Amino acid sequence: MFYIHCPYCGERREEEEFHPNGQAHLVRPADPDSVSDEEWGDYLFFRDNPRGIHHEMWVHRLGCRKFFNITRNTTTYEILETYPMGEQPTITAETAKVRHEQGVQTADGGWQTVGARPENSTLNEETPS
Amino acid sequence: MQRYSGFSLVKHALSHHENWQRHWRNPTPKKRYDVIIVGGGGHGLATAWYLAKEFGITNVAVIEKGWLGGGNTARNTTIVRSNYLWDEAAQLYNHSLDLWKGLSQDLNYNVMFSQRGVLNLAHTLQDMRDVQRRVNANRLNGIDSEVVTPAQIKEIEPALDTSKRARYPVMGASWQKSAGVARHDAVAWGYARGADSLGVDLLQNTEVTGFKIRDGKVFGVHTNRGDIEANTVGCVAAGNSGVLASMAGFKLPLESHPLQALVSEPLKPILNTVTMSNHVHGYVSQSDKGDLVIGAGIDGYLGYGQRGSFPTVEHTLQAIVEMFPMFSRVRMNRQWGGIVDTCPDACPILSKTKVKGLYFNCGWGTGGFKATPGSGHVFAASLAKGEMHPIAAPFSIDRFHTGALIDEHGAAGVAH
Ligand SMILES: Cc1cc2nc3c(=O)[nH]c(=O)nc-3n(C[C@H](O)[C@H](O)[C@H](O)COP(=O)(O)OP(=O)(O)OC[C@H]3O[C@@H](n4cnc5c(N)ncnc54)[C@H](O)[C@@H]3O)c2cc1C
Ligand SMILES: [Zn+2]
């Protein structure tokens, strides 16, 4: 079970209030008529599918109903950060290792912890219940 | 290979069953093979067996990072059916169903294929229209599908709630009588034993960590046990296919998600068939051991942890109790997850790639167990000839650029 920090509500809520919507930061080609079949197919169907750091879009479906992004590790399931639409992640596959050592996130007793940004790090102190 | 028979059972009883031959050898990797199969699940092992048996290519290695069949092959809920909508898919799954019928004999291994039928329930008018359309398409393709009424359903599966009181009353169903279930690990073991006896090397605890590629042509793989060479490499790695593709320098249109299953405590025989519902979103059958075998949807986010989330467990069991209220107090014994490689059109990819000699067989997602024999057979034919088998050809990766998708979401809908 994830506890997810909604960057709009500013609250950590249970996974069931949210819904995942796939890879984040996909940009629709500005002029679809001018792209090749190859580019259009890539845009429609080809996604990142890493073992490791993934940036993905979620919606706070049963809350504020706004979309936002999560940086999450697809093997440990740790949520490293959540951030509003329009912003870029501060943690990427390249930097993750460093951030990991800095202890930005915790995982406790099989529970997945929130992804608050480092500046909100108190939110990461999860007590398993 | 020591053949199994009633006679051999009696003979071995005399020595207290202590002298049965091992199922397969545990060979050290050779430097070079004609064909390497990456992934020792059912599809990879079937590919190796058909390569050796039908196409005379026996200098083959199956490279498996864990143990044989430890991926989705031994994690699935074993539903076998072929009532798919589109001609291409119908051909592929029906080819497989034909092979299932003789599989235990072909392998001299009891895969416990049981044709107890599959019901796909409809709960809304639109469901009914979809069922009718699919059944009509099935019949044109020679598949034994029919539309059944709630009264007929009650006769087939008395335990199912077909009353009007249900939250989503059952309006009808499609019924494929020749569908059913099989024992999943026996399928992996049967193919493995057969392939080994024909000279195929089954290399367990061997992980492929990269490909050897020169001038756009593959000539081997890197593994944690050293390099192994071959000019033909077939990747059959289910949820990890994308990881392998990225090692070879390209992307696949796949997403890897956990899919869960549960089994209950064993019960006296209560279910006659397999019941699936897209709308209520769950499915259930009963194993010969007596436990209910239950599954439903995938976890919506990407994940490589073979466990799955609690909310999905809850939704799954809600659906089962909605369909079979009498199961409300049955206790669940075990729960697990497998990593399924879902494809945008809910159809697999059997294809050449931009690297010459490197083939992929993946994208089976939530429903590839039923296809194990057919997939192995047509993939082996393709590797042997260097040209995709006619049944496999429409499932090329090119379809995501040409637009010739084979949209089976209607037939799938619920993970199966
Ligand atoms: C819970 C669940 C229920 C399902 N229910 C059904 C059902 O009822 N009916 C149905 O038809 N289908 C069902 N499926 C789908 C079905 O299980 C799969 O489509 C099918 O088993 C895939 O077989 P495979 O041999 O391709 O994959 P797998 O059995 O997963 O084999 C792939 C193998 O590749 C290995 N591998 C991966 N990476 C590497 C590497 N780098 N080096 C070496 N080896 C590697 C893995 O260890 C694994 O053993 C279900 C799946 C799940 C998870
Ligand atoms: Zn919110």
Side-chain angles (χ1 to χ4, degrees):
Chain A
M1 169 75 86
F2 291 127
Y3 274 147
I4 299 173
H5 177 257
C6 173
Y8 301 105
C9 298
E11 267 185 52
R12 194 160 28 118
R13 310 287 300 181
E14 282 188 8
E15 170 182 345
E16 281 205 273
E17 290 187 13
F18 300 85
H19 189 76
N21 276 275
Q23 187 180 335
H25 307 295
L26 292 174
V27 182
R28 190 173 200 267
D31 180 9
D33 290 336
S34 70
V35 301
S36 66
D37 288 352
E38 185 93 12
E39 288 165 314
W40 189 243
D42 285 351
Y43 162 68
L44 284 181
F45 301 121
F46 288 73
R47 296 290 177 263
D48 292 340
N49 193 20
R51 274 188 94 102
I53 303 297
H54 186 240
H55 307 290
E56 55 201 17
M57 188 163 68
W58 286 66
V59 59
H60 194 182
R61 182 175 56 162
L62 303 178
C64 63
R65 305 187 65 190
K66 288 184 183 149
F67 286 85
F68 62 98
N69 297 320
I70 292 183
T71 303
R72 191 173 58 88
N73 185 321
T74 62
T75 53
T76 64
Y77 287 25
E78 276 174 316
I79 293 176
L80 303 178
E81 62 176 340
T82 65
Y83 52 98
M85 296 305 285
E87 286 191 18
Q88 292 300 312
T90 63
I91 300 169
T92 61
E94 294 74 44
T95 64
K97 231 177 157 195
V98 182
R99 303 304 285 251
H100 198 95
E101 281 157 13
Q102 287 170 347
V104 173
Q105 73 288 329
T106 63
D108 228 337
W111 287 87
Q112 303 299 324
T113 50
V114 286
R117 292 233 170 166
E119 50 274 24
N120 298 334
S121 61
T122 48
L123 288 172
N124 283 319
E125 283 154 20
E126 173 63 39
T127 31
S129 50
Chain B
M1 183 177 82
Q2 207 172 43
R3 284 189 69 79
Y4 297 146
S5 63
F7 174 71
S8 70
L9 198 62
V10 173
K11 192 179 115 198
H12 280 276
L14 299 175
S15 57
H16 306 284
H17 296 293
E18 282 172 358
N19 297 314
W20 288 99
Q21 195 183 42
R22 282 189 176 271
H23 269 39
W24 49 77
R25 299 162 295 135
N26 193 13
T28 29
K30 290 193 255 175
K31 282 263 154 301
R32 224 192 132 68
Y33 293 90
D34 293 337
V35 178
I36 288 174
I37 306 294
V38 183
H43 289 230
L45 294 164
T47 306
W49 188 71
Y50 289 110
L51 268 176
K53 178 151 178 290
E54 286 215 0
F55 304 99
I57 302 175
T58 55
N59 187 21
V60 175
V62 177
I63 303 184
E64 165 56 50
K65 69 174 176 179
W67 63 93
L68 300 177
N72 293 345
T73 294
R75 292 168 187 269
N76 66 71
T77 44
T78 76
I79 301 172
V80 175
R81 59 187 181 89
S82 68
N83 53 351
Y84 282 73
L85 177 66
W86 298 101
D87 294 352
E88 296 85 350
Q91 275 203 37
L92 178 58
Y93 292 102
N94 229 11
H95 179 50
S96 206
L97 189 57
D98 284 342
L99 292 173
W100 274 112
K101 291 174 190 162
L103 195 59
S104 290
Q105 282 70 32
D106 289 347
L107 294 175
N108 179 233
Y109 205 94
N110 187 3
V111 299
M112 296 169 72
F113 180 47
S114 158
Q115 294 179 285
R116 58 184 72 176
V118 170
L119 285 169
N120 290 84
L121 303 181
H123 304 265
T124 67
L125 258 184
Q126 188 57 48
D127 272 1
M128 272 318 282
R129 291 185 188 123
D130 290 342
V131 159
Q132 275 152 353
R133 177 184 182 211
R134 186 158 47 77
V135 165
N136 286 336
N138 289 163
R139 296 175 81 97
L140 289 173
N141 279 317
I143 297 165
D144 63 326
S145 225
E146 51 185 301
V147 180
V148 286
T149 63
Q152 289 171 297
I153 296 170
K154 194 77 195 165
E155 255 171 53
I156 296 169
E157 196 60 283
L160 178 71
D161 182 7
T162 50
S163 73
K164 292 256 177 339
R165 290 188 314 273
R167 173 78 173 80
Y168 301 102
V170 174
M171 295 179 70
S174 73
W175 168 239
Q176 186 182 7
K177 211 171 166 193
S178 64
V181 291
R183 176 160 179 216
H184 47 199
D185 34 24
V187 174
W189 297 337
Y191 276 121
R193 170 172 167 268
D196 174 85
S197 76
L198 296 172
V200 171
D201 280 359
L202 307 174
L203 310 174
Q204 302 185 72
N205 297 313
T206 310
E207 178 166 9
V208 169
T209 53
F211 295 97
K212 302 173 77 148
I213 298 170
R214 194 191 303 125
D215 304 328
K217 232 194 135 308
V218 73
F219 67 102
V221 296
H222 302 293
T223 79
N224 58 344
R225 293 171 75 188
D227 291 2
I228 306 176
E229 296 197 340
N231 290 337
T232 303
V233 178
C235 292
V236 201
N240 283 292
S241 299
V243 179
L244 283 167
S246 69
M247 291 175 195
F250 56 88
K251 263 193 188 181
L252 293 171
L254 299 178
E255 288 193 342
S256 297
H257 294 268
L259 174 64
Q260 307 187 50
L262 303 99
V263 289
S264 73
E265 58 191 338
L267 308 175
K268 289 269 171 62
I270 175 73
L271 294 180
N272 298 322
T273 183
V274 184
T275 304
M276 311 179 64
S277 165
N278 284 2
H279 197 78
V280 176
H281 208 205
Y283 57 86
V284 58
S285 64
Q286 187 173 22
S287 76
D288 293 353
K289 219 164 56 184
D291 26 19
L292 302 178
V293 182
I294 291 169
I298 56 174
D299 290 3
Y301 40 81
L302 294 194
Y304 287 88
Q306 289 169 310
R307 42 181 191 271
S309 72
F310 288 118
T312 306
V313 173
E314 194 175 1
H315 293 159
T316 303
L317 293 174
Q318 279 166 351
I320 299 306
V321 173
E322 163 69 19
M323 292 193 282
F324 296 91
M326 65 160 71
F327 292 160
S328 66
R329 283 182 293 168
V330 174
R331 284 164 299 190
M332 294 300 128
N333 246 353
R334 290 183 293 125
Q335 169 271 351
W336 64 89
I339 304 308
V340 297
D341 42 340
T342 61
C343 208
D345 59 358
C347 270
I349 295 170
L350 291 129
S351 186
K352 296 183 176 186
T353 64
K354 53 179 88 164
V355 179
K356 239 184 131 220
L358 181 62
Y359 300 73
F360 269 76
N361 179 351
C362 56
W364 292 96
T366 59
F369 174 68
K370 62 178 72 63
T372 306
S375 154
H377 183 250
V378 299
F379 197 53
S382 309
L383 296 179
K385 307 227 162 81
E387 276 315 317
M388 295 315 290
H389 184 279
I391 291 181
F395 297 92
S396 160
I397 192 168
D398 293 342
R399 71 182 191 271
F400 298 97
H401 290 129
T402 61
L405 302 189
I406 307 162
D407 182 5
E408 283 292 350
H409 281 287
V414 63
H416 49 123

